[in-house]
Amino acid sequence: MTMQRPLATHGRYDYSPITRRDDYAWPGGKRLAFWVAPNVLFYEYTAPNDPWLGMWTRMPQPDVMAYGRQDFGPRVGFWRMLDILDKHSVRCTGCVNVEALERYPSIRDATVERQWAWLGHGISNSRFIYHLTEAEERAYYREMQERCHAATGATTATTSPPRPSMMEGGGGAAPSPRSSARAGSCRE
């Protein structure tokens, strides 16, 4: 089979097998970094249809079973997890969509009290940004950062969701990492 064109890569770093890398030590000579980054997310019960990706793919909306799994987290799972984190004095980075911060004030207050750091996971996990232009995407990330700051008083970095150009094997870098960086929330 002959390739029509070279496969797209991210171009940010070269492949490096872990067995051939130099040893790395964290400050204080530590050999291991442990990062706890729980998701704090809001999902809509019946999200608007999206041409790129169905929110609840198991069955037509409302998918009560799938939604129930997502709804369990903020009602029960988060609080059980928080008990264990508190018991062991673990400070987290919350992977958060801002709808969760705004809709679940008791969760927001608990995480702010514990001085969690924030990694933005978008505005909502029910609305996708595949259709946005790069400029619209930058505005989206800025809005996410502003709303997170308004809710927590903290600055957030962002994650970048996959784009259709990445999923289809399109050439070049996807706009999301650039848009996120240009919105001031991560490095390009």
Side-chain angles (χ1 to χ4, degrees):
M1 179 176 179
T2 305
M3 295 294 296
Q4 298 290 328
R5 62 178 186 214
L7 298 176
T9 66
H10 53 72
R12 287 169 164 59
Y13 51 84
D14 293 330
Y15 169 74
S16 171
I18 195 164
T19 56
R20 295 190 187 139
R21 294 182 195 161
D22 292 334
D23 282 341
Y24 183 85
W26 291 94
K30 305 293 184 198
R31 300 269 308 143
L32 177 67
F34 181 67
W35 185 36
V36 178
N39 286 336
V40 180
L41 307 173
F42 170 78
Y43 289 83
E44 292 175 88
Y45 183 63
T46 54
N49 288 331
D50 185 287
W52 291 99
L53 183 63
M55 182 64 231
W56 306 114
T57 57
R58 195 177 68 89
M59 62 184 291
Q61 294 189 63
D63 184 343
V64 176
M65 188 172 87
Y67 178 79
R69 185 183 68 233
Q70 301 303 331
D71 189 50
F72 178 86
R75 288 184 303 104
V76 179
F78 174 84
W79 301 104
R80 290 180 178 170
M81 175 192 68
L82 198 62
D83 287 344
I84 293 168
L85 295 170
D86 286 349
K87 177 180 175 183
H88 297 285
S89 301
V90 176
R91 182 175 172 236
C92 298
T93 298
C95 296
V96 64
N97 65 46
V98 292
E99 285 288 334
L101 292 173
E102 295 168 353
R103 291 173 182 268
Y104 309 132
S106 56
I107 290 176
R108 178 201 59 226
D109 295 347
T111 57
V112 169
E113 176 185 328
R114 289 160 179 80
Q115 299 179 337
W116 281 21
W118 298 106
L119 180 63
H121 202 296
I123 292 173
S124 165
N125 271 47
S126 310
R127 309 262 176 132
F128 305 106
I129 65 170
Y130 301 131
H131 63 284
L132 300 181
T133 66
E134 190 169 346
E136 291 169 331
E137 204 174 288
R138 277 195 308 275
Y140 173 90
Y141 286 126
R142 278 192 299 275
E143 177 186 346
M144 182 198 67
Q145 291 171 307
E146 290 165 2
R147 288 172 65 183
C148 184
H149 185 268
T152 66
T155 304
T156 180
T158 64
T159 58
S160 296
R163 303 272 308 177
S165 61
M166 294 169 75
M167 293 186 285
E168 296 165 4
S176 289
R178 279 194 312 269
S179 299
S180 183
R182 290 176 184 158
S185 58
C186 70
R187 283 182 267 140
E188 228 173 313

